[in-house]
Amino acid sequence: MTLLFAGLLIFLGVHSIAIVAPAWRERMAARLGANGWKALYSLLSIAGFALILIGYGAARQAPELVYSPPGWTRHLAALLLLPVFPLLLS
């Protein structure tokens, strides 16, 4: 499960650089050059994706329960969904 989380962190982190730190991204692209930045970006993306695949395979072999919601939330979810049905039919 750790590999899966690490892969997601790397992959999504690399892909959100333009949103979170656009100035840093521009500085790195200027420092490394356009092709150097694209190569680094691609290598990190591929590494993150590979970790996601390996971690997913490992997680399927030995599944872990990550979160178990309290029992009372079933009733809360049903209560909150009551206004959905009339809105769905209208």
Side-chain angles (χ1 to χ4, degrees):
M1 191 67 84
T2 305
L3 288 176
L4 180 63
F5 287 141
L8 285 170
L9 185 67
I10 292 170
F11 188 80
L12 296 175
V14 168
H15 281 82
S16 63
I17 288 175
I19 298 168
V20 176
W24 182 83
R25 178 182 174 266
E26 294 301 322
R27 285 194 311 269
M28 290 300 291
R31 192 175 101 186
L32 297 173
N35 289 334
W37 171 251
K38 289 177 185 177
L40 179 64
Y41 186 91
S42 298
L43 287 174
L44 287 173
S45 295
I46 290 170
F49 189 67
L51 284 175
I52 290 171
L53 293 177
I54 294 167
Y56 180 74
R60 284 185 55 100
Q61 296 300 318
E64 297 176 23
L65 184 61
V66 178
Y67 174 71
S68 178
W72 59 268
T73 56
R74 276 186 50 192
H75 305 293
L76 178 64
L79 180 66
L80 292 174
L81 282 175
L82 280 177
V84 170
F85 293 112
L87 293 173
L88 182 67
L89 296 176
S90 63

